[in-house]
Every structure is written in structure tokens, then in C-alpha cells.
Amino acid sequence: MSTDNLDQARSALREANAVTVLTGAGVSAESGLPTFRGPDGYWQGVSVMDLASPQGFLRNPNRVWEWYNLRRNALWQVRPNPAHHALAELERRVPTFGLITQNVDRLHQKAGSKQIVELHGTICMVRCTACHYEQDCPNVELPPEPRCPECSAWLRPGVVWFGEMLPFEAISKADQWTRRAEVFLVVGTSAVVTPAANLIYQAPDNGATVIEVNLDATEVSTAVDFSLRGKAGEILPQLLAIE
Ligand code: OAD
């Protein structure tokens, strides 16, 4: 990464009154959580459609819950890292701010971020597959076959699976926050899953400067204004000039 790039990106961020951030699994990597597509990622050696689709759940809910329960229980051991803290600090500095995350781990909230859209839901919540019951239940060990206390149907994780629509409220807020952004900051996502990735291409249409922070080049690196390579937990504090 050139110092020039970092300096110019830092100036753009400092001068912006409206900043929108899009994050992905790379932001939580330094907290110890795997990404999806990396060498040790969740999707290595498994069938995505078995674990993260309505059809996979119908076929084998026990298998799906085994995987989600492992992921839920892993959250108790992890803490927000400097990347999460830097984004919470950015929110305190910028008058108009929004954080759109694809992450389901709630680490942004733990770091103090408030204006958040959870585009893919969260594993800290469950909802019933038959009735309207839903429950926030972080830090609770769920049974292997979680059932609805109201109607006894299977509960499911409060996430968006492949083949499902994003919640309307979430995508419309993400869209609105993208349109108003003067700087659009993309952190730790491979930018291959739509509609989240589409927001990155939409942002410049409304005049935003787009800054990417990622360990590696991604699908969008050549389309953004500044592509900063490195760990989010190191680059973001530098970008915000946090001592
Ligand atoms: P991916 O695993 O696809 O991408 C993670 C990105 O983070 C990669 O581009 C890495 O280079 C980058 N990365 C890893 N460590 C980093 C670090 N310390 N600092 C900065 N960057 C780092 O994860 P997502 O893009 O979040 O959806 O995946 C998007 C969606 O695909 C997920 O929400 C999930 C998945 O399937 C669903 O389950 C619906």
C-alpha cells in the first residue's frame, strides 16, 4: 500500500459528513472467527447448500443446528478487535453514519456501533419455522434440536440463507445509506455475494468516494478509488489516525 493512497483516503474520510461502511467476515478474522472463503474458511470442504439454505434445513435440521450451535458457542470466546473499535470511533466522529454488515456475530454492536443494518441477520437470534415467535438469545447454549416454546415447531437461526430474500427493511435502509454516502468504506469482504456487493458499485453513482480495506485484491479492487491492502485491525486505526 502506498503512503500516498493512505493519506488521500484519510483526507477523504476526514472531510466527509456522511460515511457508510460495508463490512464482511474479514473484519472479525482478527477476533479469531473464520471467514467463509479463505483457506480455513467455513465453506472449505462443506456444501453451502446443505448448511445455509432452506432446503438443506428441511433435509437435515440436526446437521444445520450442529453447525450453527458450534458457531454460536464460538462467539462466547471472542471479543471485538481494533477494526470493530475503529468503526465505532468513526461513528462517533461523523455526523451522518451507517454501518451495513454481512456479519452475523454482533461484534460491531459489542464494540459500540449503533447505526447498524444486519443485512444477513444474526446467529444471536432464533425464530420459529411455523409461527411468529422470535427470540434474541445470545450467550445461551441451545439444545441440539431447538423447538419453539409456543408451537413446538423447529426453531431456525435468525440469519438469511442462500435462496432467501433479504429483509425488506434491511435492504432498503442499506440502499438509502449507500445513496447518501460521501465516502463508502468497504472492509473485509470478498464482495462476491449479492445484493450486498451491488452496493459497492451503486455508491459512486451518487458521488461517493469508495475506499476498500482488505488483505487481498477482490472483485471490486479495480473499481474503487482507494484499495488499501492489509489487516483491517491495522489499516483502519491508521486511516482514522487513532493513536
Ligand atoms: P468472505 O470469506 O467471502 O471474504 C472475507 C474477505 O475478508 C476476503 O476478501 C479476505 O481477503 C478478507 N480478509 C480476511 N482477513 C482479513 C483481515 N484481517 N483484514 C481485512 N480483510 C481480511 O466473507 P464475506 O465477504 O463476508 O453469507 O462473505 C459474504 C457472505 O458470504 C457472508 O455473509 C455469508 C457468506 O456465504 C451468508 O451466509 C448468506
Side-chain angles (χ1 to χ4, degrees):
M1 177 187 45
S2 83
T3 322
D4 276 4
N5 255 0
L6 179 63
D7 286 346
Q8 287 174 33
R10 192 186 281 140
S11 303
L13 197 57
R14 198 185 305 117
E15 284 159 22
N17 286 311
V19 175
T20 300
V21 185
L22 172 68
T23 63
V27 166
S28 296
E30 289 156 74
S31 292
L33 294 176
T35 61
F36 290 92
R37 294 172 182 80
D40 300 317
Y42 284 125
W43 293 155
Q44 291 303 321
V46 301
S47 153
V48 176
M49 294 310 273
D50 280 349
L51 294 175
S53 78
Q55 299 87 328
F57 187 71
L58 276 176
R59 272 198 303 272
N60 194 344
N62 293 81
R63 170 77 187 97
V64 172
W65 264 116
E66 187 187 353
W67 188 65
Y68 277 97
N69 275 337
L70 280 174
R71 288 182 62 194
R72 282 175 52 85
N73 297 348
L75 290 187
W76 307 349
Q77 337 290 336
V78 300
R79 300 277 169 273
N81 66 57
H84 297 105
H85 289 298
L87 293 174
E89 169 62 19
L90 185 60
E91 179 171 349
R92 289 189 283 273
R93 291 184 191 179
V94 177
T96 304
F97 181 88
L99 172 52
I100 305 162
T101 188
Q102 298 167 86
N103 297 345
V104 295
D105 55 32
R106 291 248 164 112
L107 287 178
H108 284 302
Q109 287 90 332
K110 281 195 182 144
S113 290
K114 301 218 172 345
Q115 292 297 315
I116 299 190
V117 165
E118 289 174 317
L119 218 45
H120 294 165
T122 174
I123 57 173
C124 300
M125 209 195 89
V126 293
R127 60 175 195 268
C128 181
T129 51
C131 74
H132 292 296
Y133 177 83
E134 57 179 46
Q135 177 73 46
D136 228 50
C137 52
N139 305 337
V140 177
E141 188 158 354
L142 295 175
E145 296 189 7
R147 296 282 175 169
C148 176
E150 288 180 9
C151 75
S152 302
W154 277 94
L155 291 174
R156 57 162 286 175
V159 297
V160 178
W161 280 328
F162 286 96
E164 294 184 318
M165 305 281 283
L166 300 193
F168 178 73
E169 261 183 40
I171 191 64
S172 50
K173 198 176 242 189
D175 187 66
Q176 185 197 331
W177 286 358
T178 301
R179 284 174 198 281
R180 76 184 185 193
E182 292 169 22
V183 164
F184 193 84
L185 179 61
V186 187
V187 191
T189 177
S190 56
V192 293
V193 173
T194 57
N198 292 340
L199 300 171
I200 305 166
Y201 297 100
Q202 188 187 317
D205 290 348
N206 300 288
T209 299
V210 182
I211 304 170
E212 177 184 53
V213 176
N214 200 300
L215 263 186
D216 295 316
T218 70
E219 296 283 314
V220 297
S221 295
T222 53
V224 301
D225 296 287
F226 301 104
S227 184
L228 310 176
R229 302 280 159 78
K231 291 184 174 179
E234 292 170 8
I235 303 279
L236 287 178
Q238 290 175 39
L239 195 57
L240 271 76
I242 293 173
E243 296 306 318

